[in-house]
Amino acid sequence: MVALTTLSAGQTGLIHSLQGGHRLISRLASLGFTPGAPVVVTRNYGHGPIIVAVRGTQVALGRGEATHILVYPAEA
Amino acid sequence: MHCQTETIPAPPISRAPGATLVVALAGQPNVGKSTIFNRLTGLDQHVGNWPGKTVAQKTGRCTYQGRKLSLVDLPGAYSLTANSEEERIARDYIIHERPDMVIAVVDAAIPERSLYLLAELIQLPAPVVLVLNMMDVAEQEGLQIEPHVLEAALGIPVVPMCATRQRGLEEMLDTVFRLWDGAFPYNPRRPTILPAHQEVLEQVITLIADHTPAPYPVDWVALKLLEGDEEIHAMMQAALPADRWHTIGGLLHAHEDAVLDIAGARYAWIARMIRAAVVRPKIGQVGLTARLDTVLTHPVGGLLALIGVLGVVFWLTYSVGSPLQGWLDMLLTQLAQNVHGALFSVSPWLADLVADGLIQGVGMVLTFLPILIIFFAVLGFLEDTGYLARAAYVTDRFMHALGLHGKSFIPLLLGFGCNVPAILGARILDSPRARRLTILLAPLVPCTARMAVVTVLTAALFPRTAAWVAWGLVTLNLATLALIGLIFKRAVLKDEQSVFIMELPLYHMPNPRTIGLYVWHNILSFLQKAGVVILIASVVIWMLSYFPAQGDVMQSYLAHIGRALEPLGRLMGLPWPMLIALFTGFVAKENTIATLGVLYGDIGNTLPALLSGPAALGFLIVQMLFIPCVATVAAVQQETRSWRWTLLSLGLMLVLSLGAGIAVYQVGTWLFS
């Protein structure tokens, strides 16, 4: 189980849990980041915000926000 | 456009005959809700603000087969939990104002995510009609959707639509009235909570049942408590006896994970609902959005694309906006001369007031129009196509360091053209704090008018090193902007460290009508609110510089103020008339040059002799950081709706500029003496 930011572009993960404050969790959950949801990282350059596909939508996330999402990386 | 204007006699309806049906349009951001609203109401709409908020409130009317409909366009909301101002407004409206019906608009191209709001709306008492908008985009992305299958699954009416091509609007209105007439069976299948939390939900319901304030549905309040909604927590804490709240607090604490389970259950419900209705594209099929994004969100390609887009914006501003501005200016000068001539025989001072005070004030407001129209057209275009979010993503890495959001970049950058659109453009930011910080920083971006003044003055004061000095002054302004951003990030925005969570909507063809109305409403609100302030301030400054000496500035009230400020000027090595020149720049920055011309004649010869090197440099810095022009101040007030914030902004600029001027003069004099 790793932070979403450790996945590289093209990698898929299954969300395990969300960390952080209630507000952040609530916002992320309403955008579709809930446990069990598959996510695909589309942009991650090791710094700056990343882009993730979740439930058919591309969402840009700041690195700080993305580290609060823990995922199981899918076997490549 | 009116939906349909034929006068077919109204069929009997369940409420008072002829009564207007009140319908709220709800939907997540970027689902094309505004296009539907604009199509239905045309110009028969009222745009204001939600009471006490900076979020735009749009209401309008339309008539369908002789029956009246009042539409309320709710702000875009991802959910009904109060995570943002928009979400709070949307849910407060539905709960307190109780519209007769809610139209839930979803983006057919991303049914899974955008149905989330429906999962919440369907749990409230108002009947819901689901609109699947952007069917064309869905098709373009390879999705196949069967509205009838979805309708059967949900148990509520579902209308497919493509609002930009004007398809589905009449069907929607027809469905709304049929549902209202009871001609459509309404048996919504609502999402249920996971078994793990069913028991605690029922316990909470029992505990709050007899204490829930009036319009709130009890089970909805219980659900929001479990979801950790701060506002509902506060409301119930106030409504319940202390011991009962204590019991509930214990329950909620033990079920803190409920928020994710509830959201998860809603998504599971959505998956069940769309299983048969939506056929996904074959794996490997790459949609238009994905293809465009390989370039537009690329760290190098995206930056180059952004530079290209901005190049076009600046080119438009200078090649179309500036000439138009100049032409308007000329026209008004001509008008002022004619009016002055006509009035002079009646009363000389009245002629001066109308020509130099009033017409110049109106002219100020008018000459902003070309630039503002171009700016809003571009902003509306970029937002409507979906590109704006990409630009924000590409620039976020730079802006983040300053405590700013990627979306602040475009308004701030366009501030180089004019600060007014930069401040109005801060509207695209979702968080009120990020919006205010952007507004606070925008006047530090040197606009063309400020640059024009500085260019003239630098050439006069430092003829040999003018380019370097000007370059240094711009750098100083940007460094100050960065510094203030950092300070505010550390000190003020601690708890909200510019959270960056932003949807990248699918690209689609821009709708000229949507953009046109966007420009129209923004310009109108600028003229109505800021226009008056600009006009009044221009006239007041003119009067101060005119009276009581009938036009001799050196004997005017303004000069009295200047003399009173002499000690301040001495700290900066500046004679008091220089301060007057600064203050007349408040109406329009260019006035500083005009005033200096009146006071000192040929400034290229007189000013260098008058000022020491440090004083000259200090004056330039003060000019760069000094309070912005009245139009900018009016825009700050209009956008923040707070005089306190406006005064803070003014105070900050005043302290910064005078402080820097004093420091440069004192240190410089000490070094070179």
Side-chain angles (χ1 to χ4, degrees):
Chain A
M1 191 178 63
V2 294
L4 183 57
T5 42
T6 59
L7 299 192
S8 43
Q11 251 189 307
T12 305
L14 276 186
I15 296 181
H16 167 267
S17 59
L18 307 185
Q19 315 277 301
H22 225 112
R23 278 197 145 198
L24 181 67
I25 290 181
S26 175
R27 271 188 77 180
L28 289 171
S30 65
L31 277 170
F33 294 95
T34 58
V39 288
V40 186
V41 174
T42 38
R43 293 274 183 206
N44 186 355
Y45 296 99
H47 55 88
I50 66 169
I51 300 181
V52 212
V54 61
R55 302 191 190 272
T57 322
Q58 303 282 331
V59 179
L61 291 174
R63 280 204 105 66
E65 289 75 47
T67 47
H68 285 103
I69 302 174
L70 300 181
V71 296
Y72 298 112
E75 305 301 318
Chain B
M1 178 206 74
H2 272 261
C3 318
Q4 195 163 327
T5 41
E6 323 169 24
T7 45
I8 295 166
I13 47 173
S14 47
R15 242 195 345 187
T20 304
L21 195 64
V22 180
V23 177
L25 265 179
Q28 294 191 338
N30 313 312
V31 295
K33 212 159 45 66
S34 302
T35 308
I36 299 178
F37 180 77
N38 291 337
R39 284 271 179 213
L40 290 176
T41 59
L43 283 176
D44 189 7
Q45 51 177 271
H46 175 76
V47 180
N49 278 76
W50 292 90
K53 315 274 167 131
T54 49
V55 179
Q57 180 192 43
K58 293 196 276 183
T59 53
R61 297 176 168 281
C62 85
T63 316
Y64 177 72
Q65 297 191 341
R67 297 173 75 176
K68 281 184 229 139
L69 196 76
S70 171
L71 272 175
V72 180
D73 190 13
L74 296 177
Y78 286 110
S79 71
L80 291 185
T81 298
N83 288 325
S84 70
E85 188 96 322
E86 283 80 3
E87 290 172 340
R88 194 168 302 138
I89 291 169
R91 81 162 185 211
D92 281 355
Y93 180 83
I94 295 174
I95 290 173
H96 289 279
E97 305 299 323
R98 288 194 264 178
D100 297 318
M101 204 175 287
V102 174
I103 295 175
V105 184
V106 305
D107 181 347
I110 40 166
E112 202 182 355
R113 219 287 312 289
S114 63
L115 278 166
Y116 189 83
L117 183 67
L118 175 77
E120 293 221 48
L121 289 170
I122 209 170
Q123 270 164 329
L124 291 168
V128 182
V129 170
L130 178 65
V131 166
L132 293 170
N133 192 24
M134 307 207 191
M135 289 295 280
D136 55 332
V137 182
E139 204 173 304
Q140 164 197 309
E141 298 288 323
L143 252 71
Q144 282 171 40
I145 302 173
E146 305 284 346
H148 289 289
V149 180
L150 189 58
E151 189 169 87
L154 288 166
I156 66 169
V158 175
V159 185
M161 182 177 287
C162 175
T164 49
R165 295 185 196 171
Q166 210 161 343
R167 266 188 245 142
L169 290 158
E170 297 211 354
E171 289 83 343
M172 181 189 86
L173 292 168
D174 193 65
T175 308
V176 163
F177 283 110
R178 273 200 300 139
L179 179 63
W180 186 245
D181 294 342
F184 196 104
Y186 188 75
N187 304 304
R189 222 151 285 139
R190 298 189 167 94
T192 45
I193 192 164
L194 290 184
H197 296 299
Q198 185 63 42
E199 198 181 326
V200 64
L201 180 69
E202 273 158 25
Q203 279 175 302
V204 174
I205 290 177
T206 324
L207 285 165
I208 64 168
D210 45 351
H211 288 280
T212 306
Y216 287 90
V218 176
D219 44 354
W220 184 83
V221 170
L223 202 60
K224 285 293 154 195
L225 283 175
L226 274 174
E227 282 188 82
D229 188 296
E230 288 166 17
E231 208 176 69
I232 299 295
H233 264 245
M235 179 183 87
M236 291 313 290
Q237 190 170 8
L240 286 164
D243 56 327
R244 177 110 29 127
W245 175 251
H246 189 73
T247 316
I248 293 176
L251 279 174
L252 297 181
H253 191 72
H255 291 268
E256 265 198 320
D257 56 334
V259 54
L260 282 176
D261 277 352
I262 293 171
R266 290 195 187 113
Y267 275 109
W269 172 82
I270 293 171
R272 282 201 304 280
M273 294 297 120
I274 63 174
R275 189 175 299 146
V278 178
V279 180
R280 303 217 151 265
K282 290 182 209 84
I283 295 174
Q285 187 174 343
V286 181
L288 171 74
T289 295
R291 270 180 280 147
L292 282 173
D293 271 345
T294 53
V295 177
L296 296 179
T297 61
H298 188 272
V300 180
L303 217 52
L304 290 176
L306 179 65
I307 292 170
V309 168
L310 294 170
V312 173
V313 177
F314 276 110
W315 174 79
L316 267 177
T317 309
Y318 289 112
S319 69
V320 183
S322 296
L324 267 176
Q325 205 170 10
W327 180 75
L328 269 174
D329 208 32
M330 213 175 65
L331 212 69
L332 280 156
T333 312
Q334 191 64 48
L335 178 74
Q337 274 174 8
N338 293 347
V339 170
H340 193 269
L343 283 177
F344 194 75
S345 53
V346 183
S347 155
W349 79 263
L350 185 69
D352 285 347
L353 169 71
V354 174
D356 298 339
L358 220 54
I359 295 183
Q360 214 206 353
V362 174
M364 257 299 277
V365 180
L366 280 183
T367 50
F368 272 107
L369 286 186
I371 278 184
L372 283 179
I373 290 171
I374 291 172
F375 174 82
F376 280 118
V378 168
L379 202 64
F381 176 85
L382 295 182
E383 192 160 33
D384 202 38
T385 51
Y387 176 70
L388 202 62
R390 273 73 183 184
Y393 164 76
V394 171
T395 53
D396 188 69
R397 60 193 71 212
F398 315 115
M399 304 310 279
H400 192 78
L402 306 181
L404 285 168
H405 192 280
K407 279 191 182 173
S408 302
F409 180 78
I410 288 193
L412 284 181
L413 191 94
L414 295 180
F416 279 106
C418 172
N419 287 173
V420 173
I423 286 159
L424 302 185
R427 278 179 205 180
I428 57 173
L429 286 147
D430 309 313
S431 139
R433 289 193 187 196
R435 203 176 297 157
R436 287 194 163 187
L437 185 56
T438 307
I439 290 172
L440 188 74
L441 295 178
L444 287 167
V445 178
C447 69
T448 35
R450 225 187 256 268
M451 284 311 296
V453 174
V454 165
T455 310
V456 172
L457 288 179
T458 323
L461 292 166
F462 297 96
R464 260 171 266 158
T465 49
W468 287 106
V469 174
W471 177 81
L473 288 169
V474 173
T475 311
L476 177 79
N477 262 50
L478 297 182
T480 312
L481 187 151
L483 189 72
I484 303 281
L486 278 175
I487 292 171
F488 270 78
K489 178 189 174 184
R490 290 276 152 78
V492 184
L493 304 168
K494 252 181 285 177
D495 53 326
E496 198 190 352
Q497 281 263 344
S498 60
V499 175
F500 188 70
I501 303 175
M502 186 185 60
E503 182 191 353
L504 301 178
L506 295 171
Y507 290 106
H508 51 81
M509 284 303 286
N511 182 247
R513 200 189 169 86
T514 306
I515 299 171
L517 279 164
Y518 178 79
V519 173
W520 168 250
H521 288 308
N522 277 303
I523 297 290
L524 204 65
S525 98
F526 172 77
L527 287 182
Q528 281 169 347
K529 293 175 195 132
V532 178
V533 179
I534 296 171
L535 190 60
I536 293 173
S538 311
V539 172
V540 168
I541 292 272
W542 176 84
M543 286 167 100
L544 288 177
S545 68
Y546 189 84
F547 292 112
Q550 302 284 313
D552 182 2
V553 181
M554 296 299 269
Q555 306 298 323
S556 67
Y557 290 122
L558 208 56
H560 287 291
I561 298 171
R563 282 198 194 91
L565 289 173
E566 208 171 353
L568 183 69
R570 216 173 292 135
L571 284 176
M572 296 183 281
L574 299 175
W576 66 264
M578 301 284 292
L579 295 182
I580 296 298
L582 264 182
F583 281 109
T584 51
F586 182 56
V587 173
K589 287 288 149 198
E590 296 88 335
N591 282 10
T592 302
I593 300 290
T595 311
L596 285 174
V598 170
L599 297 177
Y600 292 112
D602 179 8
I603 54 173
N605 290 321
T606 51
L607 284 191
L610 198 68
L611 302 177
S612 68
L617 188 61
F619 182 69
L620 286 174
I621 290 174
V622 174
Q623 170 63 37
M624 282 297 273
L625 297 173
F626 200 63
I627 49 174
C629 69
V630 58
T632 306
V633 177
V636 170
Q637 204 279 329
Q638 179 195 333
E639 289 306 299
T640 59
R641 309 196 149 252
S642 149
W643 279 108
R644 198 191 294 172
W645 195 264
T646 312
L647 289 175
L648 171 75
S649 163
L650 282 176
L652 181 74
M653 301 289 282
L654 213 54
V655 169
L656 269 179
S657 59
L658 298 179
I662 293 170
V664 166
Y665 175 69
Q666 297 294 344
V667 173
T669 313
W670 178 73
L671 278 179
F672 293 107
S673 62

